[in-house]
Amino acid sequence: MEELRQKYLNAIADAADEAALEEIRIRALGKKGEVSLKMRELGRMSPEERKTAGPALNALKNELNAALTAKRAALADAALDARLRAEWLDVTLPARPRRQGTVHPISQVTEEVIAIFAEMGFAVAEGPQIETDWYNFDALNIPPHHPARQEFDTFYMHREPGDSRPPNVLRTHTSPVQIRAMEKHGAPIRIIAPGRVYRSDYDQTHTPMFHQVEGLAIDRDISMANLKWVLEEFCRAFFEVEEVELRFRASHFPFTEPSAEVDLRCSWQDGQLKVGEGDDWMEILGSGMVHPKVLKAAGVDPDQWQGFAFGIGIDRLAMLKYGIPDLRAFFDSDLRWLRHYGFAPLDVPTMRAGLSL
Ligand code: DAH
């Protein structure tokens, strides 16, 4: 009996895994196991022998079962330990870097411009990029054969042969949105219209697609003085300087009378633009009092209403504010350029704090 006990206890202690343990259990306590067979022999013993052998065999059976259970638990623990060691990972390691996209300078500047004019009560209006001849030209007091049409390097859309309507155009400026907004909302109105415009032109400062923001303010008594203040406030906020000086230069646009081009006092230091000081002037926009014919074309009575309009080049603003020398690079989709000049997605548009309204 003691021999059996030692044999199986040793075997259990040495078992390498669950399968080995199960084999040992069957060999000792299974139906034909050594201990089970011994128990069966009890029947052939004398009552005297049975009295001692019975309890001894039972005790052996219990001891082996307990040893098996304990070993099974120990093996499971060891297996878990091994797995934990093998599958261990350091959660404090830095994550693999993943490239994040950036906000294009045009998008950033557009957001900045919208934020500044929103503070001054201008809503954002939009119009189509494929525009009719009428909205892009006629309604803006540029009739057919007007010389201003030649200045625009217009892209014309295709018309089927035999279709005598004037071709649609890729809008050459955001000014047609003035007409669409006044048709829709009437007067009074205060809007800006940022968006893409197209002209057949290509060099360091011109691309066939570029961006403008149109401004329009119509009410009973709006004057050039209001225009001047709005533009000064805009420039102070946009270029983040305390003082700006604007120069209104008499000019001509068919859709405004009088018309003015506006220059910004600035200087260049080591290729960096300084706004508000210096001896240079930088042209930044066209503007004027909206021509009565334009109001009329949009269904607004020029005897009751008047106001100003302006058009600013957004790409120009971005180049100036962020020191970007070549316009063409804006639209090359060169990832190195985009990473260098792009803005973090969560950057809020920058503007001078405390716009004094
Ligand atoms: N549409 C003009 C252009 O693209 C810019 C412009 C000038 C817009 C004067 C205006 C304005 O609203 O009043 O060259």
Side-chain angles (χ1 to χ4, degrees):
M1 192 92 72
E2 181 54 24
E3 211 176 287
L4 264 185
R5 183 174 166 271
Q6 274 312 324
K7 179 169 122 183
Y8 283 110
L9 286 179
N10 287 342
I12 289 169
D14 292 344
D17 52 36
E18 288 258 1
L21 211 53
E22 180 60 8
E23 219 169 89
I24 295 164
R25 190 190 66 80
I26 291 167
R27 260 197 286 136
L29 306 170
K31 253 187 198 149
K32 290 176 186 162
E34 235 176 327
V35 177
S36 308
L37 292 177
K38 281 265 182 289
M39 290 186 106
R40 227 167 285 162
E41 285 172 19
L42 286 174
R44 277 179 271 130
M45 290 181 187
S46 68
E48 287 306 305
E49 283 173 321
R50 209 182 298 151
K51 232 182 217 168
T52 50
L57 273 173
N58 255 327
L60 174 60
K61 186 180 153 191
N62 290 340
E63 189 179 358
L64 290 183
N65 266 326
L68 282 166
T69 304
K71 181 67 179 182
R72 210 171 282 132
L75 281 175
D77 278 354
L80 183 59
D81 278 349
R83 203 173 142 204
L84 284 174
R85 258 194 310 281
E87 293 179 10
W88 178 88
L89 53 88
D90 184 352
V91 293
T92 68
L93 280 176
R96 275 196 198 98
R98 249 218 254 157
R99 285 275 186 201
Q100 285 213 322
T102 56
V103 175
H104 195 283
I106 298 288
S107 306
Q108 176 80 11
V109 164
T110 303
E111 289 302 318
E112 292 175 16
V113 169
I114 289 171
I116 293 166
F117 281 110
E119 288 265 312
M120 294 194 271
F122 286 76
V124 172
E126 280 183 317
Q129 294 174 41
I130 296 174
E131 196 47 286
T132 65
D133 188 71
W134 192 80
Y135 280 106
N136 197 80
F137 294 122
D138 299 69
L140 292 163
N141 195 28
I142 314 174
H145 310 301
H146 190 288
R149 289 209 179 198
Q150 266 70 65
E151 285 163 28
F152 275 123
D153 301 311
T154 311
F155 285 114
Y156 292 94
M157 305 294 289
H158 177 70
R159 277 265 187 246
E160 290 304 325
D163 188 335
S164 59
R165 292 173 300 170
N168 288 335
V169 301
L170 293 182
R171 69 179 180 193
T172 57
H173 49 182
T174 43
S175 300
V177 186
Q178 288 185 33
I179 307 294
R180 290 182 173 276
M182 284 191 283
E183 276 181 345
K184 196 163 168 201
H185 302 291
I189 189 170
R190 224 188 305 179
I191 53 122
I192 56 165
R196 291 179 170 173
V197 300
Y198 302 84
R199 290 179 205 176
S200 179
D201 212 348
Y202 190 71
D203 61 34
Q204 191 176 347
T205 52
H206 296 92
T207 50
M209 185 281 298
F210 59 107
H211 301 79
Q212 289 186 335
V213 58
E214 194 78 11
L216 175 73
I218 302 291
D219 210 322
R220 302 253 176 219
D221 55 2
I222 293 207
S223 72
M224 287 291 268
N226 301 118
L227 169 67
K228 209 169 165 231
W229 181 85
V230 163
L231 292 177
E232 273 169 7
E233 280 304 297
F234 167 73
C235 288
R236 270 152 38 89
F238 181 77
F239 290 108
E240 300 177 63
V241 289
E242 277 305 320
E243 285 309 321
V244 293
E245 195 181 334
L246 295 182
R247 181 170 75 178
F248 283 65
R249 216 166 3 85
S251 180
H252 177 264
F253 300 103
F255 29 91
T256 44
E257 181 58 38
S259 304
E261 281 175 296
V262 177
D263 306 332
L264 178 67
R265 187 186 278 285
C266 66
S267 63
W268 290 95
Q269 284 168 13
D270 307 322
Q272 271 301 105
L273 177 80
K274 285 214 113 172
V275 169
E277 50 188 84
D279 298 325
D280 271 342
W281 293 96
M282 166 85 55
E283 185 196 322
I284 53 166
L285 61 93
S287 65
M289 296 299 291
V290 178
H291 198 291
K293 283 188 176 172
V294 172
L295 294 175
K296 215 179 277 174
V300 169
D301 181 357
D303 294 328
Q304 306 254 357
W305 306 98
Q306 62 179 36
F308 63 76
F310 57 84
I312 313 179
I314 291 182
D315 319 74
R316 186 48 122 44
L317 289 180
M319 291 170 80
L320 290 175
K321 181 165 178 181
Y322 296 112
I324 304 170
D326 192 325
L327 178 64
R328 289 169 297 193
F330 275 81
F331 311 117
D332 281 346
S333 303
D334 180 335
L335 280 178
R336 291 164 307 172
W337 188 94
L338 292 168
R339 281 177 193 137
H340 180 76
Y341 286 110
F343 292 81
L346 295 179
D347 264 4
V348 282
T350 58
M351 64 166 122
R352 194 177 59 82
L355 188 64
S356 55
L357 293 179

